Amino acid sequence: MKFSPSRLWAIVVKEFVQMRRDRLTLGMMAGIPVLQLLLFGYAINANPKHLPTAVLMADNGPQGRTLLYALENSSYFDFVRRVKTEPEGRRLLARGDVQFVVNIPENFTRDFLRGDRPAILVEADATDPVATVNALAALNAAVNGALKNDLKGPLAFLSGTAPPVELQIHALYNPEDITAYNIVPGLMGTILTMTMIAITGLAITRERESGTMENLLSMPTRPLEVMIGKIVPYILVGYMQMALILLTARLLFRVPMAGSIALLMAVTFVFIVANLAMGITFSTLATTQRQAMQMSMFFFLPNILLSGFMFPFRGMPVWAQDIGEFLPLTHFLRIIRGILLKGNGFTDVVRELWQIALFAIVAIALSVKSFRRTLD
Amino acid sequence: MPDGLAIDVHGMTKRFDGLTAVNRVDLQVRTGDICGFLGPNGSGKTTFIRMLCGLLRPDGGSGTCLGHDVMTGSEAIKGLVGYMTQRFSFWDDLTIHENLDFVARMYSIGNRRRVVRESIERLGLEGQGNKLAGELSGGWKQRLALAACMIHDPKLLLLDEPTAGVDPKARREFWEEIHRLAEQGLTFLIATHYMDEAERCHRLAFILNGKLLSQGTVAEVIEQAHLTTWSVSGPDLTGLAGKLRVRPGVEQAVAFGNTLHISGDDADALLGAIAPFRAAPYEWRGIDSSLEDVFIHFMGGRAGRQMEGPRMDGPSS
Ligand SMILES: Nc1ncnc2c1ncn2[C@@H]1O[C@H](COP(=O)(O)OP(=O)(O)O)[C@@H](O)[C@H]1O
Ligand SMILES: [Mg+2]
């Protein structure tokens, strides 16, 4: 029996009608990406100010006060507590009462006037780096700006090359720092992976559990027809999601789109197919819908952790990078960040694209191979 | 099918880890016959039918189905066979029309639209084609299923308990349709529990615990059981039944209206068993065993004792 395009089309039509009729799932397919993007995006894009700060002031001179005044003026820091000792400051940080402890050491004014470049120590609770990253950037500017005014007259010699004070920042608990522009494109790939795998993960097991598989198998058909027929309608869903995500990213988060959106859309096709094929492979391997869901979850985990979505890819140990290189999401993240943020063109993305394509082909072959044509 | 046999298989065997669900079953069904496939739940009817249409790989056996080898020709067989599953297996979330249309496309039927429209008309569902299959009642689901598995004009229909849960009127209409189709040359293998349905078949095959116990016409199957049956009437038949059941030689003592039917496969022993009661007020009469008597006889304790039925090679009586 040869591969028949008309039988393939029969399955496409059937799946499409069933998909259209399943309003709940379809609604979720549209709702999940927007919701996730809003939740993630706003948490990230928020530029929190007036962060509670404790001060350890061991210096009595005017420069110390100037400094504090400048920090408060930057509107990122609210001095809510005065502490006497360093451990006291640490405790406040640990309890989450303050986000920062600014430590101006003894003899700060004296050392400053001598040109000894005294150190200011800022300890930050960086559990959520997004919360501190902007404040820390502002800190640097505020410190230098404030003291510059004092470097006149006899102190003019200090305004040379090196900054007049040494700013020591200790980011505690989480030294990572993730930016919003990095994560929103990353989310596009992650959301597509999650929804595409979940939806086709059920495609075959649902037929098995409802008993319709017996009917389908009693008709003359080839596994490849069934696989492709079940994938095609969801490519549309994938594009619907992509469009929603891009729109949200652009309108709400002002994610820059430096490269060609048409190119991105074209490349996404391969990525969507790869994930749908992976899902359908799970579906053929599993015997129940529950098993298929568990497999999808199991696959989703390394995608989140090792693709460069959560942690910078280059920061991972080599073995983790090796695993990451197998995942379509890893390559897609490079592609989408490349296109949106760096304005990459086709020749730049091909390097990553063929690896996604290879994954898709292997996944489809695997699903066809493991598709059981009988009930035993 | 040069010999006029739509189904001609020998030694069909299927094992599910340890359990032999179908054990060396030989079955022959002539073209145009309605063959009733009898047996209690779990006796292997569904498994056997699934092997015929290539849904299960047999562990042993040989033969042909519509002239194609059952072991290697399942793709060809699928195109010629209509299989109605025991459980409704069409798509609940597709409409009647969409279900039929899907099946028609899968079998690559020419002038599909007309075939589907005619099928809906024959179903008596004009104007209701847009109803979801999942919303139909049991009887209508069964009719839809039959219509769908006939849309590609199959030569052999394998129907697995097609009338389970269908009301008597719908069942009668269903059987009239089956006979009409058989007259046009279609062959049927129909799994069923119902005695009245069994009696409407040209031939019967009785399977128990995976083994074929008997096959032939209704009369032949009854004959092969070598069952003797007596009918008795009189007072307190329930009490009498209790007394008779414990006597050797009595297999069944079953109430039928105002009479009691006593059966056993050893005529002499049975005669001895009833002898003490063959006096007034009881009235005794030897009768022909019914198919139901035979059915219960096969099920009760005779399990596994193979009864060699006459082979139906070529046209016989
Ligand atoms: N897929 C299967 N796996 C394991 N055992 C099975 C399977 N299908 C059927 N059986 C067993 O095989 C026996 C015959 O079942 P079946 O063919 O469904 O009987 P019937 O249709 O006559 O009720 C039963 O004991 C059943 O439990
Ligand atoms: Mg059954």
Side-chain angles (χ1 to χ4, degrees):
Chain A
M1 198 169 53
K2 289 227 300 272
F3 181 88
S4 151
S6 69
R7 275 200 304 265
L8 167 61
W9 185 242
I11 296 172
V12 171
V13 171
K14 162 184 163 294
E15 293 296 323
F16 192 80
V17 172
Q18 288 185 295
M19 178 184 89
R20 208 188 51 200
R21 218 150 265 160
D22 188 358
R23 289 282 154 79
L24 184 70
T25 307
L26 214 54
M28 297 236 296
M29 289 294 111
I32 287 175
V34 174
L35 195 71
Q36 288 211 0
L37 210 56
L38 288 180
L39 293 178
F40 270 80
Y42 272 122
I44 293 152
N45 221 28
N47 182 2
K49 296 189 173 177
H50 303 287
L51 298 167
T53 305
V55 181
L56 203 167
M57 184 69 144
D59 180 73
N60 291 318
Q63 259 73 32
R65 276 195 303 273
T66 311
L67 202 65
L68 289 187
Y69 184 70
L71 290 186
E72 200 144 32
N73 253 359
S74 77
S75 79
Y76 278 100
F77 304 92
D78 275 3
F79 296 117
V80 295
R81 296 288 267 275
R82 246 170 204 283
V83 292
K84 294 268 182 302
T85 63
E86 281 190 31
E88 203 184 332
R90 276 288 171 90
R91 242 188 343 269
L92 289 177
L93 277 175
R95 288 217 309 259
D97 289 349
V98 296
Q99 190 88 32
F100 301 99
V101 177
V102 176
N103 184 347
I104 295 175
E106 224 176 319
N107 302 326
F108 174 80
T109 304
R110 194 195 68 196
D111 292 352
F112 174 74
L113 294 175
R114 277 197 199 151
D116 281 354
R117 302 189 61 233
I120 306 171
L121 178 67
V122 176
E123 291 186 314
D125 172 359
T127 332
D128 182 0
V130 181
T132 55
V133 70
N134 287 314
L136 290 176
L139 181 69
N140 218 337
V143 169
N144 288 324
L147 297 175
K148 207 152 246 157
N149 295 332
D150 292 341
L151 301 176
K152 305 245 168 73
L155 292 174
F157 72 97
L158 282 176
S159 61
T161 46
V165 297
E166 189 187 341
L167 191 59
Q168 292 179 355
I169 296 170
H170 287 181
L172 299 176
Y173 311 127
N174 177 7
E176 281 295 338
D177 114 21
I178 301 166
T179 72
Y181 288 169
N182 200 32
I183 206 162
V184 171
L187 247 147
M188 298 188 198
T190 310
I191 290 169
L192 276 177
T193 300
M194 188 171 71
T195 50
M196 294 292 98
I197 288 196
I199 197 133
T200 43
L202 304 179
I204 306 282
T205 42
R206 191 177 45 215
E207 302 251 15
R208 277 190 192 282
E209 279 185 17
S210 68
T212 50
M213 186 51 99
E214 185 172 7
N215 204 335
L216 193 61
L217 289 178
S218 75
M219 300 175 197
T221 181
R222 296 192 61 81
L224 191 61
E225 294 162 3
V226 178
M227 297 304 147
I228 299 182
K230 281 181 170 291
I231 282 179
V232 167
Y234 294 109
I235 294 178
L236 276 179
V237 176
Y239 271 115
M240 178 190 81
Q241 289 192 329
M242 189 68 186
L244 274 171
I245 297 170
L246 275 178
L247 223 63
T248 317
R250 182 82 200 119
L251 297 181
L252 292 179
F253 301 111
R254 316 231 172 275
V255 172
M257 298 192 179
S260 152
I261 296 300
L263 174 64
L264 181 60
M265 283 295 190
V267 171
T268 302
F269 179 83
V270 183
F271 180 65
I272 289 176
V273 169
N275 282 308
L276 290 173
M278 190 69 238
I280 216 151
T281 303
F282 290 148
S283 202
T284 53
L285 294 174
T287 43
T288 61
Q289 295 195 41
R290 237 179 64 143
Q291 270 183 18
M293 286 298 262
Q294 283 165 347
M295 286 187 193
S296 306
M297 278 299 161
F298 190 73
F299 180 69
F300 196 50
L301 215 62
N303 269 289
I304 290 273
L305 298 175
L306 305 181
S307 64
F309 168 69
M310 275 284 204
F311 311 113
F313 196 78
R314 289 203 183 87
M316 300 192 307
V318 175
W319 62 265
Q321 292 195 15
D322 288 344
I323 297 174
E325 290 288 350
F326 276 105
L327 305 171
L329 182 59
T330 304
H331 302 285
F332 186 69
L333 290 186
R334 292 177 193 156
I335 290 176
I336 191 170
R337 285 172 180 159
I339 292 178
L340 289 184
L341 307 180
K342 302 182 200 160
N344 282 355
F346 183 69
T347 44
D348 300 314
V349 303
V350 160
R351 252 167 5 111
E352 308 290 341
L353 189 61
W354 74 264
Q355 305 194 54
I356 304 178
L358 187 66
F359 185 95
I361 291 166
V362 171
I364 290 180
L366 202 64
S367 70
V368 168
K369 188 118 184 60
S370 55
F371 181 73
R372 279 158 295 175
R373 304 171 74 170
T374 59
L375 295 168
D376 49 4
Chain B
M1 295 150 276
D3 49 3
L5 291 177
I7 301 173
D8 183 14
V9 294
H10 302 273
M12 296 300 279
T13 301
K14 180 71 195 177
R15 280 182 284 270
F16 295 113
D17 31 54
L19 172 92
T20 307
V22 173
N23 194 353
R24 290 192 282 160
V25 168
D26 300 344
L27 186 73
Q28 286 76 37
V29 180
R30 276 183 319 208
T31 305
D33 263 4
I34 301 173
C35 179
F37 201 23
L38 306 181
N41 279 328
S43 54
K45 302 183 295 296
T46 301
T47 306
F48 180 79
I49 291 175
R50 282 174 172 170
M51 283 194 287
L52 276 187
C53 57
L55 286 171
L56 288 174
R57 279 183 300 262
D59 291 315
S62 62
T64 58
C65 183
L66 297 168
H68 296 280
D69 192 299
V70 281
M71 304 298 274
T72 58
S74 57
E75 294 304 338
I77 293 172
K78 280 179 186 177
L80 299 170
V81 163
Y83 170 42
M84 182 168 161
T85 54
Q86 183 171 352
R87 218 177 107 195
F88 182 73
S89 64
F90 285 87
W91 289 267
D92 281 346
D93 51 352
L94 296 185
T95 63
I96 293 170
H97 183 273
E98 286 159 354
N99 268 302
L100 292 171
D101 196 58
F102 173 66
V103 178
R105 281 182 201 265
M106 289 300 280
Y107 286 101
S108 317
I109 288 168
N111 52 44
R112 192 184 81 243
R113 280 167 216 282
R114 209 195 66 217
V115 170
V116 170
R117 197 182 54 235
E118 284 173 1
S119 175
I120 290 179
E121 281 166 13
R122 228 174 310 118
L123 265 172
L125 284 173
E126 296 101 321
Q128 298 206 60
N130 288 329
K131 226 177 178 165
L132 289 180
E135 291 169 358
L136 296 173
S137 69
W140 281 109
K141 276 187 176 169
Q142 166 257 356
R143 294 176 73 167
L144 168 62
L146 183 66
C149 73
M150 288 187 40
I151 213 157
H152 60 293
D153 205 8
K155 303 289 168 271
L156 168 66
L157 279 164
L158 305 171
L159 311 182
D160 197 352
E161 298 189 24
T163 57
V166 173
D167 66 64
K169 181 166 170 290
R171 263 171 61 193
R172 166 161 299 201
E173 286 166 10
F174 178 79
W175 275 91
E176 279 164 9
E177 172 82 1
I178 299 289
H179 273 275
R180 234 185 342 267
L181 293 165
E183 272 160 31
Q184 293 166 20
L186 256 80
T187 310
F188 287 86
L189 179 63
I190 307 180
T192 179
H193 286 310
Y194 297 112
M195 283 310 116
D196 60 324
E197 293 192 350
E199 276 160 1
R200 286 164 165 266
C201 296
H202 298 129
R203 303 190 80 86
L204 299 176
F206 189 94
I207 187 174
L208 182 72
N209 291 341
K211 286 190 172 171
L212 194 73
L213 296 188
S214 177
Q215 77 170 296
T217 61
V218 175
E220 281 166 2
V221 167
I222 291 175
E223 161 72 30
Q224 283 161 34
H226 302 297
L227 206 61
T228 312
T229 303
W230 290 85
S231 164
V232 57
S233 58
D236 186 24
L237 290 177
T238 318
L240 180 65
K243 285 182 208 139
L244 282 169
R245 270 191 202 114
V246 296
R247 294 185 71 85
V250 176
E251 271 180 33
Q252 311 168 28
V254 187
F256 275 84
N258 296 325
T259 63
L260 200 61
H261 286 195
I262 320 292
S263 316
D265 65 351
D266 184 335
D268 295 335
L270 187 64
L271 208 56
I274 65 173
F277 306 96
R278 293 192 68 178
Y282 299 116
E283 235 177 89
W284 291 85
R285 204 156 47 85
I287 56 168
D288 291 338
S289 303
S290 71
L291 193 58
E292 183 160 331
D293 296 329
V294 170
F295 195 92
I296 292 175
H297 161 73
F298 279 142
M299 281 168 62
R302 304 293 128 161
R305 195 167 100 194
Q306 181 116 17
M307 298 234 173
E308 276 300 329
R311 277 275 170 71
M312 307 184 352
D313 288 328
S316 57
S317 59

Coordinates of all heavy atoms in Angstrom, one line a residue, chain B residues 191-250:
Chain B
A191 N -21.0 -11.9 15.9 CA -20.9 -12.3 17.3 C -22.1 -11.9 18.1 O -22.6 -10.8 17.9 CB -19.6 -11.7 18.0
T192 N -22.7 -12.8 18.8 CA -23.9 -12.4 19.6 C -24.1 -13.3 20.8 O -23.5 -14.4 20.9 CB -25.2 -12.5 18.7 OG1 -26.3 -12.2 19.4 CG2 -25.3 -13.9 18.1
H193 N -24.9 -12.8 21.7 CA -25.3 -13.6 22.9 C -26.8 -14.1 22.7 O -27.2 -15.0 23.5 CB -25.4 -12.7 24.1 CG -24.1 -12.3 24.6 ND1 -23.1 -13.2 24.9 CD2 -23.6 -11.1 25.0 CE1 -22.1 -12.5 25.4 NE2 -22.3 -11.3 25.4
Y194 N -27.5 -13.5 21.8 CA -29.0 -13.7 21.9 C -29.3 -15.0 21.1 O -29.0 -15.1 19.9 CB -29.7 -12.5 21.2 CG -29.5 -11.2 22.0 CD1 -28.7 -10.2 21.4 CD2 -30.0 -11.0 23.3 CE1 -28.6 -9.0 22.1 CE2 -29.9 -9.9 24.0 CZ -29.1 -8.8 23.4 OH -29.0 -7.7 24.1
M195 N -30.2 -15.8 21.7 CA -30.6 -17.0 21.1 C -31.5 -16.8 19.9 O -31.4 -17.5 18.9 CB -31.4 -17.9 22.1 CG -30.5 -18.6 23.1 SD -29.2 -19.4 22.3 CE -27.8 -18.6 22.9
D196 N -32.4 -15.8 20.0 CA -33.3 -15.6 18.9 C -32.5 -15.1 17.7 O -32.8 -15.4 16.5 CB -34.3 -14.5 19.3 CG -33.7 -13.2 19.7 OD1 -32.7 -13.2 20.3 OD2 -34.3 -12.2 19.3
E197 N -31.4 -14.4 17.9 CA -30.5 -14.0 16.8 C -29.8 -15.1 16.2 O -29.6 -15.3 15.0 CB -29.5 -12.9 17.3 CG -30.2 -11.6 17.7 CD -29.2 -10.5 17.8 OE1 -28.0 -10.7 17.9 OE2 -29.7 -9.3 18.0
A198 N -29.3 -16.0 17.1 CA -28.6 -17.2 16.6 C -29.5 -18.0 15.7 O -29.0 -18.5 14.7 CB -28.2 -18.1 17.8
E199 N -30.8 -18.1 16.0 CA -31.7 -18.9 15.2 C -31.9 -18.2 13.8 O -32.4 -18.9 12.9 CB -33.0 -19.1 15.9 CG -32.8 -20.3 16.9 CD -33.8 -20.4 18.0 OE1 -34.7 -19.6 18.1 OE2 -33.7 -21.4 18.8
R200 N -31.6 -17.0 13.7 CA -31.7 -16.3 12.4 C -30.5 -16.5 11.5 O -30.5 -16.0 10.4 CB -32.0 -14.8 12.6 CG -33.3 -14.5 13.2 CD -33.3 -13.0 13.7 NE -34.7 -12.5 13.9 CZ -35.3 -11.8 13.0 NH1 -34.8 -11.5 11.9 NH2 -36.5 -11.4 13.3
C201 N -29.5 -17.1 12.0 CA -28.3 -17.3 11.2 C -28.4 -18.6 10.4 O -29.0 -19.5 10.7 CB -27.1 -17.4 12.1 SG -26.8 -15.9 13.1
H202 N -27.6 -18.6 9.2 CA -27.6 -19.8 8.4 C -26.8 -20.8 9.1 O -27.1 -22.0 9.0 CB -26.9 -19.4 7.1 CG -27.7 -18.5 6.2 ND1 -27.1 -17.3 5.7 CD2 -29.0 -18.4 5.9 CE1 -28.0 -16.6 5.0 NE2 -29.2 -17.3 5.2
R203 N -25.7 -20.4 9.7 CA -24.8 -21.3 10.4 C -24.4 -20.7 11.7 O -24.4 -19.5 11.9 CB -23.6 -21.7 9.5 CG -23.9 -22.2 8.2 CD -22.6 -22.7 7.5 NE -22.3 -24.0 8.0 CZ -22.8 -25.2 7.5 NH1 -23.6 -25.1 6.5 NH2 -22.4 -26.3 8.0
L204 N -23.9 -21.6 12.6 CA -23.4 -21.2 13.9 C -22.0 -21.7 14.1 O -21.7 -22.8 13.7 CB -24.3 -21.7 15.0 CG -25.8 -21.2 14.9 CD1 -26.6 -21.9 16.0 CD2 -25.9 -19.7 15.1
A205 N -21.3 -20.9 14.9 CA -20.0 -21.5 15.4 C -20.0 -21.1 16.9 O -20.3 -20.0 17.3 CB -18.8 -20.8 14.7
F206 N -19.8 -22.1 17.7 CA -19.8 -21.9 19.2 C -18.4 -22.0 19.8 O -17.7 -23.0 19.6 CB -20.8 -23.0 19.8 CG -21.0 -22.7 21.3 CD1 -22.2 -21.9 21.6 CD2 -20.1 -23.1 22.3 CE1 -22.4 -21.6 23.0 CE2 -20.4 -22.7 23.6 CZ -21.5 -22.0 23.9
I207 N -18.0 -21.0 20.5 CA -16.7 -20.9 21.0 C -16.7 -20.8 22.5 O -17.6 -20.1 23.0 CB -15.9 -19.8 20.3 CG1 -14.4 -19.8 20.7 CG2 -16.5 -18.5 20.6 CD1 -13.6 -18.8 20.0
L208 N -15.8 -21.5 23.2 CA -15.8 -21.4 24.7 C -14.4 -21.5 25.1 O -13.6 -22.4 24.7 CB -16.6 -22.5 25.3 CG -16.7 -22.4 26.8 CD1 -17.5 -21.3 27.3 CD2 -17.2 -23.8 27.4
N209 N -13.9 -20.6 26.0 CA -12.5 -20.5 26.4 C -11.5 -20.7 25.3 O -10.5 -21.3 25.4 CB -12.3 -21.7 27.4 CG -13.1 -21.4 28.7 OD1 -13.4 -20.3 29.0 ND2 -13.3 -22.5 29.5
G210 N -11.9 -20.0 24.2 CA -10.9 -20.0 23.1 C -11.0 -21.2 22.2 O -10.4 -21.2 21.1
K211 N -11.8 -22.2 22.5 CA -11.9 -23.4 21.7 C -13.2 -23.4 20.9 O -14.3 -23.1 21.5 CB -11.8 -24.6 22.5 CG -10.3 -24.9 23.0 CD -10.2 -26.2 23.6 CE -8.7 -26.5 23.8 NZ -8.6 -27.7 24.6
L212 N -13.2 -23.8 19.7 CA -14.4 -24.0 18.9 C -15.0 -25.3 19.3 O -14.4 -26.4 19.2 CB -14.1 -24.0 17.4 CG -15.3 -23.8 16.6 CD1 -15.9 -22.4 16.6 CD2 -15.0 -24.2 15.1
L213 N -16.3 -25.3 19.9 CA -16.9 -26.5 20.4 C -17.7 -27.1 19.3 O -17.9 -28.4 19.3 CB -17.7 -26.3 21.6 CG -17.0 -25.8 22.8 CD1 -17.9 -25.8 24.0 CD2 -15.8 -26.7 23.1
S214 N -18.3 -26.3 18.4 CA -19.3 -26.9 17.5 C -19.5 -25.9 16.4 O -19.5 -24.7 16.6 CB -20.6 -27.1 18.2 OG -21.6 -27.6 17.3
Q215 N -19.7 -26.4 15.2 CA -20.1 -25.5 14.1 C -21.0 -26.2 13.1 O -20.9 -27.4 12.9 CB -19.0 -24.8 13.4 CG -18.2 -25.6 12.4 CD -17.2 -24.7 11.7 OE1 -17.6 -23.8 10.9 NE2 -15.9 -24.9 11.8
G216 N -21.9 -25.5 12.5 CA -22.9 -26.1 11.5 C -24.2 -25.3 11.6 O -24.2 -24.2 12.1
T217 N -25.2 -25.9 10.9 CA -26.5 -25.2 11.0 C -27.1 -25.4 12.4 O -26.5 -26.1 13.2 CB -27.5 -25.9 10.0 OG1 -27.6 -27.2 10.4 CG2 -27.0 -25.8 8.6
V218 N -28.2 -24.7 12.6 CA -28.8 -24.7 14.0 C -29.1 -26.2 14.3 O -28.7 -26.7 15.4 CB -30.1 -23.9 14.0 CG1 -30.8 -24.1 15.4 CG2 -29.8 -22.4 13.8
A219 N -29.7 -26.9 13.3 CA -30.0 -28.3 13.6 C -28.8 -29.1 13.8 O -28.8 -30.0 14.7 CB -30.8 -28.8 12.4
E220 N -27.7 -28.9 13.1 CA -26.5 -29.7 13.2 C -25.9 -29.4 14.6 O -25.4 -30.4 15.2 CB -25.5 -29.3 12.1 CG -25.8 -30.0 10.8 CD -25.0 -29.4 9.7 OE1 -24.2 -28.4 9.9 OE2 -25.2 -29.8 8.5
V221 N -25.9 -28.2 15.0 CA -25.3 -27.9 16.3 C -26.1 -28.6 17.4 O -25.5 -29.1 18.3 CB -25.3 -26.3 16.5 CG1 -24.9 -26.0 18.0 CG2 -24.2 -25.7 15.6
I222 N -27.4 -28.5 17.3 CA -28.2 -29.2 18.3 C -28.0 -30.7 18.3 O -27.7 -31.3 19.3 CB -29.7 -28.9 18.1 CG1 -30.0 -27.4 18.4 CG2 -30.6 -29.8 19.0 CD1 -31.4 -27.0 18.0
E223 N -27.9 -31.2 17.1 CA -27.6 -32.6 16.9 C -26.3 -33.1 17.5 O -26.2 -34.1 18.2 CB -27.7 -32.9 15.4 CG -27.0 -34.2 14.9 CD -27.9 -35.4 15.3 OE1 -29.1 -35.3 15.4 OE2 -27.3 -36.5 15.5
Q224 N -25.3 -32.2 17.3 CA -23.9 -32.6 17.8 C -23.8 -32.6 19.3 O -22.9 -33.2 19.8 CB -22.9 -31.6 17.2 CG -22.5 -31.8 15.8 CD -21.9 -30.5 15.2 OE1 -21.2 -29.8 15.9 NE2 -22.2 -30.3 14.0
A225 N -24.7 -31.9 19.9 CA -24.7 -31.8 21.4 C -25.1 -33.1 22.0 O -24.8 -33.4 23.2 CB -25.5 -30.7 21.9
H226 N -25.8 -34.0 21.2 CA -26.3 -35.3 21.7 C -27.0 -35.1 23.0 O -26.8 -35.8 24.0 CB -25.1 -36.3 22.0 CG -24.3 -36.5 20.7 ND1 -24.9 -37.1 19.6 CD2 -23.0 -36.3 20.5 CE1 -23.9 -37.2 18.7 NE2 -22.8 -36.7 19.2
L227 N -27.9 -34.1 23.0 CA -28.6 -33.8 24.3 C -30.0 -34.4 24.2 O -30.7 -34.4 23.2 CB -28.7 -32.2 24.3 CG -28.8 -31.6 25.7 CD1 -27.6 -32.0 26.6 CD2 -28.9 -30.1 25.6
T228 N -30.4 -34.9 25.3 CA -31.8 -35.4 25.5 C -32.6 -34.5 26.4 O -32.0 -34.1 27.4 CB -31.8 -36.9 26.1 OG1 -30.9 -37.6 25.4 CG2 -33.2 -37.5 26.0
T229 N -33.8 -34.1 26.0 CA -34.5 -33.2 26.8 C -35.9 -33.8 27.0 O -36.6 -34.3 26.1 CB -34.6 -31.8 26.1 OG1 -33.3 -31.4 25.9 CG2 -35.3 -30.8 27.0
W230 N -36.4 -33.6 28.3 CA -37.7 -34.0 28.6 C -38.5 -32.8 29.1 O -37.9 -31.9 29.8 CB -37.7 -35.0 29.8 CG -37.3 -36.4 29.3 CD1 -36.0 -36.8 29.3 CD2 -38.1 -37.5 28.9 NE1 -35.9 -38.1 28.9 CE2 -37.2 -38.6 28.6 CE3 -39.5 -37.7 28.8 CZ2 -37.7 -39.8 28.2 CZ3 -39.9 -38.9 28.4 CH2 -39.0 -40.0 28.1
S231 N -39.8 -32.7 28.8 CA -40.6 -31.7 29.4 C -41.6 -32.3 30.4 O -42.1 -33.3 30.1 CB -41.3 -31.0 28.2 OG -42.4 -30.2 28.7
V232 N -41.7 -31.6 31.5 CA -42.6 -32.2 32.5 C -43.6 -31.0 33.0 O -43.1 -29.9 33.1 CB -41.9 -32.8 33.7 CG1 -40.9 -31.8 34.3 CG2 -42.8 -33.3 34.7
S233 N -44.8 -31.4 33.2 CA -45.7 -30.4 33.8 C -46.4 -31.1 35.0 O -46.5 -32.3 35.1 CB -46.8 -30.0 32.8 OG -47.5 -31.1 32.3
G234 N -46.9 -30.2 35.9 CA -47.5 -30.7 37.1 C -47.4 -29.7 38.2 O -46.9 -28.6 38.0
P235 N -47.7 -30.1 39.5 CA -47.6 -29.2 40.6 C -46.2 -29.0 41.2 O -45.4 -29.9 41.0 CB -48.6 -29.8 41.7 CG -48.5 -31.3 41.4 CD -48.2 -31.4 39.9
D236 N -46.0 -27.9 41.8 CA -44.7 -27.6 42.5 C -43.5 -28.0 41.7 O -42.7 -28.8 42.1 CB -44.7 -28.3 43.9 CG -43.4 -27.9 44.6 OD1 -42.9 -26.8 44.4 OD2 -42.9 -28.7 45.5
L237 N -43.4 -27.3 40.5 CA -42.3 -27.7 39.6 C -40.9 -27.2 40.2 O -39.9 -27.8 39.9 CB -42.5 -27.0 38.2 CG -43.6 -27.7 37.4 CD1 -43.9 -27.0 36.1 CD2 -43.3 -29.2 37.2
T238 N -41.0 -26.1 41.0 CA -39.8 -25.6 41.6 C -39.2 -26.6 42.5 O -38.0 -26.9 42.5 CB -40.0 -24.3 42.4 OG1 -40.9 -23.5 41.6 CG2 -38.8 -23.5 42.6
G239 N -40.0 -27.2 43.3 CA -39.6 -28.3 44.2 C -39.0 -29.5 43.5 O -38.0 -30.0 43.8
L240 N -39.7 -29.8 42.4 CA -39.3 -30.9 41.6 C -37.9 -30.7 40.9 O -37.0 -31.5 40.9 CB -40.3 -31.2 40.5 CG -40.0 -32.4 39.5 CD1 -40.0 -33.7 40.3 CD2 -41.0 -32.4 38.4
A241 N -37.8 -29.4 40.5 CA -36.5 -29.1 39.8 C -35.3 -29.3 40.8 O -34.3 -29.8 40.5 CB -36.5 -27.6 39.3
G242 N -35.6 -28.8 42.1 CA -34.6 -29.0 43.1 C -34.2 -30.4 43.3 O -33.0 -30.8 43.4
K243 N -35.2 -31.3 43.3 CA -34.9 -32.7 43.6 C -34.2 -33.3 42.4 O -33.3 -34.2 42.6 CB -36.2 -33.4 43.8 CG -36.8 -33.2 45.2 CD -38.1 -34.0 45.3 CE -39.1 -33.3 46.3 NZ -40.4 -33.4 45.9
L244 N -34.5 -32.9 41.2 CA -33.9 -33.5 40.0 C -32.5 -33.0 39.8 O -31.7 -33.8 39.3 CB -34.8 -33.1 38.7 CG -36.0 -33.9 38.6 CD1 -36.9 -33.3 37.5 CD2 -35.7 -35.4 38.2
R245 N -32.2 -31.8 40.1 CA -30.9 -31.3 39.8 C -29.8 -32.0 40.5 O -28.7 -32.1 39.9 CB -30.8 -29.8 40.2 CG -31.2 -28.9 39.1 CD -30.9 -27.4 39.4 NE -31.8 -26.5 38.6 CZ -32.7 -25.8 39.1 NH1 -32.8 -25.7 40.5 NH2 -33.5 -25.0 38.4
V246 N -30.1 -32.6 41.6 CA -29.0 -33.3 42.3 C -28.8 -34.7 41.9 O -27.9 -35.4 42.3 CB -29.2 -33.3 43.9 CG1 -29.2 -31.9 44.4 CG2 -30.5 -34.0 44.2
R247 N -29.7 -35.2 41.0 CA -29.5 -36.6 40.5 C -28.5 -36.7 39.4 O -28.4 -35.8 38.6 CB -30.9 -37.1 40.1 CG -31.9 -37.2 41.3 CD -33.2 -37.8 40.8 NE -33.1 -39.2 40.6 CZ -33.2 -40.2 41.5 NH1 -33.4 -39.8 42.8 NH2 -33.1 -41.5 41.2
P248 N -27.8 -37.8 39.4 CA -26.8 -38.0 38.3 C -27.5 -38.1 37.0 O -28.6 -38.7 36.9 CB -26.1 -39.3 38.7 CG -27.0 -40.0 39.6 CD -27.8 -38.9 40.4
G249 N -26.8 -37.5 36.0 CA -27.4 -37.6 34.6 C -28.2 -36.3 34.3 O -28.5 -36.1 33.1
V250 N -28.6 -35.6 35.3 CA -29.4 -34.3 35.0 C -28.4 -33.2 35.0 O -27.8 -32.9 35.9 CB -30.5 -34.1 36.1 CG1 -31.2 -32.8 35.9 CG2 -31.4 -35.2 36.1

